[in-house]
Amino acid sequence: MARFELKLPKMGESVAEATVTNWLKEVGDRIEADEAVLEIATDKVDSEVPSEVSGILVEQLFGKDDLVQVGQTIAIIETEGGETAAPETVNAVQETAAPAEVAEIEKTIEAVKETVASQDFSGSDKFFSPLVKNIAKEEGLSLNELENIAGSGKDGRVTKEDILKYVEDRKSGAVQAPQTVEAPKAVAETPKVEAPKAVEPIVQKSQQAVPVSVNGADEIVEMDRMRKLISGYMVASVQTSAHVQSFIEVDVTNIVKWRDKVKAAFEKREGEKLTFTPIMMEAVAKALKDFPGMNISVDGDYIIKKKNINLGMAAALPNGNLIVPVIKNADQLNLVGMAKAVNDLGNRAKAGKLKPDDTQGGTYTVTNVGTFGSVFGTPIINQPQVGILALGAIRKVPAVIETPEGDFIGIRQKMFLSHSYDHRVVDGALGGSFVKRVAEYLEAFDVDRDF
């Protein structure tokens, strides 16, 4: 029978690896061509890996939470023999296998499951794949010893090859790692009681990993993978950038009137709904061309001036999480093109159909807090960018209207723009001037323009 190697497909120029989050098919399951076999996750986007062929899944080469490089084989599928060929083979093996052999295999499987379930390296801040942790458990490696293995994977992660080489060197005496990681013993021999103090944080961390409801009525739910990532990004951004904010109120009456006048014709001609978002994004793209100092990123002590204007568009997902797809070369789009890009990314974000490249390369981000009724907000910068603009809710408010005949009070449509920027590289003059320019573009909107 032919054996097809299912490889991790290329998911974009900037994506080199992904993590297995869930197997949708088990060994022995029938798979149709284009049917999803497993779910994977990059640092921002979750997606599925479909099979290119029909057949039977005979081998899973990676487990849940394992890191896979693009191009690596992740599963083996038997393709020859039609619908029943593989099941007949499986049945033949089952029929010819002796009961004693079957029982022995089942015992081995259970032993492996128990080993995996009993392993505990949760006290470490480092990431270890289930395979690496299982090998460490079987070889009797301590947490301290495992943490001191030099990893050759991305970000210093310990791979299967790293730990197997370490175990081999350890057995041959080529490496004296046990003595290196037995520092706690040396501390324990001294009169001081520093060893228990060193262990204490790990014990506390392990205990806090599973909180307990005191009254029994509270529900305790672990964060999903994406929420953990978002949490890490937000904390890191606040710790990295010196956030300051500038606020400005904008009269968008002309925009509201124009949209009300043309939205039906726009949808009929373009097949797209016309929201306020693309109009705002068009103004932001223009302002970034006027103030390129906002279209930069920071790398240590260096400033990177971005050639392209790629606008990130924060979007809320149905599960409550947040994702930021990117409109590439936004300054080159007219209003129709901007509306189509906004709608396409927004719809695919809600449906979970974004590709990894759709969230890469942003140079500035816009978030619409007005969608949820907020008048204004103080958004956190999307690293390594240096600014983010929050669009507040559009409201009817009484306002002073200046005319040649004098001032009077009238009803106007207004909104707040909230600009958060990185004070390490953006001072108030630039940050304030930029958001003021966005406001000027919006207030000068031509009500007679065509779309």
Side-chain angles (χ1 to χ4, degrees):
M1 290 187 176
R3 292 166 66 87
F4 175 79
E5 295 184 352
L6 179 64
K7 300 179 184 294
L8 182 65
K10 184 175 177 60
M11 297 170 289
E13 295 180 2
S14 57
V15 181
E17 61 185 14
T19 301
V20 176
T21 56
N22 185 38
W23 280 95
L24 302 176
K25 296 292 183 178
E26 299 299 330
V27 173
D29 287 353
R30 175 74 188 176
I31 301 171
E32 300 299 331
D34 296 326
E35 187 176 7
V37 180
L38 70 159
E39 295 175 338
I40 58 172
T42 64
D43 59 344
K44 290 185 179 180
V45 178
D46 294 349
S47 58
E48 297 176 342
V49 177
S51 173
E52 301 173 37
V53 297
S54 297
I56 303 297
L57 179 63
V58 295
E59 191 172 356
Q60 297 174 345
L61 301 181
F62 291 90
K64 185 178 179 181
D65 295 329
D66 279 356
L67 196 67
V68 187
Q69 302 296 316
V70 169
Q72 276 191 295
T73 302
I74 48 182
I76 303 296
I77 300 173
E78 277 191 353
T79 60
E80 192 178 39
E83 295 277 346
T84 59
E88 287 175 0
T89 304
V90 174
N91 291 336
V93 173
Q94 291 177 343
E95 290 173 2
T96 56
E101 294 176 350
V102 174
E104 186 64 28
I105 293 173
E106 290 177 349
K107 285 174 63 179
T108 303
I109 293 174
E110 289 302 319
V112 171
K113 288 181 178 179
E114 290 177 5
T115 301
V116 174
S118 63
Q119 64 190 12
D120 182 18
F121 293 102
S122 59
S124 176
D125 291 329
K126 291 186 176 182
F127 171 84
F128 299 106
S129 71
L131 177 61
V132 168
K133 289 191 284 188
N134 192 34
I135 294 173
K137 182 71 177 180
E138 291 176 347
E139 298 295 336
L141 273 64
S142 66
L143 172 61
N144 197 9
E145 190 170 3
L146 181 59
E147 287 184 321
N148 280 279
I149 297 176
S152 61
K154 182 177 175 61
D155 297 329
R157 288 177 179 152
V158 177
T159 65
K160 174 184 175 182
E161 290 72 21
D162 294 331
I163 193 170
L164 290 178
K165 183 177 184 303
Y166 175 84
V167 170
E168 181 180 352
D169 292 344
R170 184 174 180 240
K171 290 179 179 179
S172 65
V175 64
Q176 299 296 324
Q179 294 179 4
T180 303
V181 298
E182 284 178 4
K185 290 185 179 180
V187 175
E189 292 171 2
T190 66
K192 299 179 182 180
V193 290
E194 293 177 359
K197 290 182 180 178
V199 176
E200 186 177 357
I202 297 177
V203 175
Q204 289 178 346
K205 187 173 183 179
S206 176
Q207 290 173 345
Q208 292 174 358
V210 185
V212 178
S213 172
V214 177
N215 59 17
D218 299 332
E219 182 182 6
I220 299 172
V221 181
E222 184 180 4
M223 294 182 189
D224 60 26
R225 187 197 66 85
M226 183 172 285
R227 177 48 56 182
K228 290 177 183 177
L229 288 172
I230 294 171
S231 174
Y233 292 146
M234 295 300 98
V235 172
S237 181
V238 172
Q239 292 176 342
T240 299
S241 294
H243 282 65
V244 291
Q245 283 83 27
S246 292
F247 306 93
I248 192 166
E249 192 174 25
V250 190
D251 189 330
V252 292
T253 305
N254 287 345
I255 292 176
V256 173
K257 289 181 178 179
W258 180 83
R259 176 180 172 272
D260 289 341
K261 180 178 66 175
V262 306
K263 63 181 181 180
F266 185 93
E267 185 172 2
K268 182 178 180 180
R269 193 183 86 176
E270 303 297 337
E272 299 280 351
K273 290 186 179 297
L274 179 62
T275 65
F276 289 110
T277 301
I279 301 173
M280 307 296 174
M281 299 292 260
E282 181 185 53
V284 172
K286 289 180 179 179
L288 286 172
K289 290 192 73 172
D290 296 340
F291 294 94
M294 288 304 311
N295 198 54
I296 65 173
S297 64
V298 179
D299 185 2
D301 293 332
Y302 295 90
I303 294 173
I304 302 172
K305 297 180 179 180
K306 299 294 185 177
K307 178 181 178 181
N308 298 327
I309 294 176
N310 300 333
L311 290 183
M313 181 184 73
L317 300 176
N319 61 4
N321 288 326
L322 185 73
I323 198 165
V324 185
V326 177
I327 301 173
K328 306 292 174 62
N329 298 309
D331 58 312
Q332 299 178 19
L333 299 176
N334 60 16
L335 187 58
V336 173
M338 188 73 77
K340 291 187 175 184
V342 166
N343 292 343
D344 173 58
L345 290 173
N347 292 335
R348 286 197 287 123
K350 292 176 182 177
K353 300 297 183 182
L354 289 175
K355 300 176 182 178
D357 263 5
D358 291 329
T359 62
Q360 304 292 328
T363 60
Y364 188 88
T365 297
V366 178
T367 179
N368 190 353
V369 299
T371 301
F372 312 104
S374 296
V375 178
F376 57 81
T378 55
I380 297 174
I381 296 168
N382 186 15
Q383 296 295 328
Q385 299 167 23
V386 299
I388 180 171
L389 185 70
L391 308 175
I394 298 175
R395 303 165 300 131
K396 288 183 179 180
V397 297
V400 176
I401 302 174
E402 297 178 358
T403 69
E405 291 75 26
D407 298 343
F408 66 92
I409 300 295
I411 303 300
R412 306 295 290 177
Q413 301 271 8
K414 290 197 172 187
M415 66 181 293
F416 280 99
L417 302 179
S418 310
H419 186 209
S420 295
Y421 47 96
D422 188 344
H423 211 348
R424 294 178 303 165
V425 291
V426 180
D427 293 329
L430 174 57
S433 297
F434 169 79
V435 70
K436 185 173 182 291
R437 183 61 54 85
V438 175
E440 289 171 351
Y441 279 126
L442 294 176
E443 291 186 340
F445 190 87
D446 183 5
V447 293
D448 296 322
R449 70 178 285 183
D450 190 14
F451 51 80

